[in-house]
Amino acid sequence: MCNQNTVQELQPETTISYWIPAMDLLYWRNVKQSGAVFSSALLLLFSLTQFSVVSVAAYLGLAALSATISFRIYKSVLQAVQKTDEGHPFKAYLEIEITLSQDQISKYADKILLYTNTCMKELRRLFLVQDLIDSLKFAVLMWLLTYVGALFNGLTLLILTVVSMFTMPVVYEKHQAQIDQYVGLIRTQVNGVVGKIQAKIPGAKRKDE
């Protein structure tokens, strides 16, 4: 429920390098990469519907260890047979620096703190009815979520979210004109209803009006 200005503050130029690759994945710019990420995410979520988090983490760890240990033994045997000294097969990855610097930790901690504080202020504004219309919208959202919660559990919602993230951007890109037209019509209808409510409820009009 954070406002738009806050979201803009939380997206400085330094995050663009992370944002663009993520959008490329969602828009399937590279089909192989997007397919791998999409299928992996779905496989993980479907696994969590059948097994506990601990079991899934343990199985993933065992699968990764089985692959790396097998490859390590294979390369060692191959080097012994061919009498070569290529060194550790994962040497290039072992030498990659993966530690976070103090500056990086401070930067991300500041972003999390800013986002948390802003969301808390926004929730306080909504629950204490600083703006009646916004609080009514929030109440309607909570009411709709009660029905969503009755129909789906958390993992099902996550699965639907992942599927939507990897399908809706592509659909919107191909049918942007038609979707914008329908969204505009819906927005007009909603604004009309909100305007009628503001006209009938005393004190419901925004201060800037």
Side-chain angles (χ1 to χ4, degrees), residues 36-156:
V37 174
F38 181 51
S39 59
S40 299
L42 283 183
L43 179 61
L44 176 61
L45 292 174
F46 278 121
S47 299
L48 290 174
T49 61
Q50 302 296 324
F51 306 99
S52 66
V53 176
V54 176
S55 297
V56 172
Y59 283 125
L60 288 176
L62 285 173
L65 281 172
S66 298
T68 53
I69 291 174
S70 299
F71 186 74
R72 177 75 165 84
I73 294 174
Y74 167 75
K75 294 295 291 185
S76 298
V77 173
L78 190 64
Q79 290 178 28
V81 172
Q82 296 179 349
K83 296 181 179 180
T84 58
D85 188 15
E86 298 178 358
H88 199 288
F90 300 115
K91 181 180 180 181
Y93 298 101
L94 290 171
E95 293 177 349
I96 295 177
E97 184 64 36
I98 61 174
T99 58
L100 291 174
S101 65
Q102 187 64 37
D103 292 338
Q104 289 176 318
I105 295 175
S106 299
K107 180 181 67 175
Y108 292 117
D110 291 340
K111 291 180 182 178
I112 294 173
L113 181 62
L114 176 61
Y115 185 83
T116 302
N117 290 336
T118 306
C119 286
M120 290 175 61
K121 292 178 181 178
E122 185 71 9
L123 289 174
R124 180 184 63 182
R125 187 182 70 86
L126 292 170
F127 279 106
L128 298 183
V129 199
Q130 181 177 346
D131 185 289
L132 181 58
I133 295 301
D134 286 346
S135 295
L136 287 174
K137 291 178 181 178
F138 186 62
V140 172
L141 176 61
M142 294 296 102
W143 176 68
L144 292 175
L145 287 178
T146 61
Y147 287 93
V148 174
L151 294 174
F152 308 103
N153 58 31
L155 281 175
T156 304

Side-chain angles (χ1 to χ4, degrees), residues 178-196:
Q178 298 92 322
I179 294 175
D180 287 344
Q181 181 180 359
Y182 289 117
V183 170
L185 292 174
I186 295 173
R187 186 175 297 172
T188 301
Q189 295 293 330
V190 171
N191 290 337
V193 173
V194 171
K196 292 179 181 179

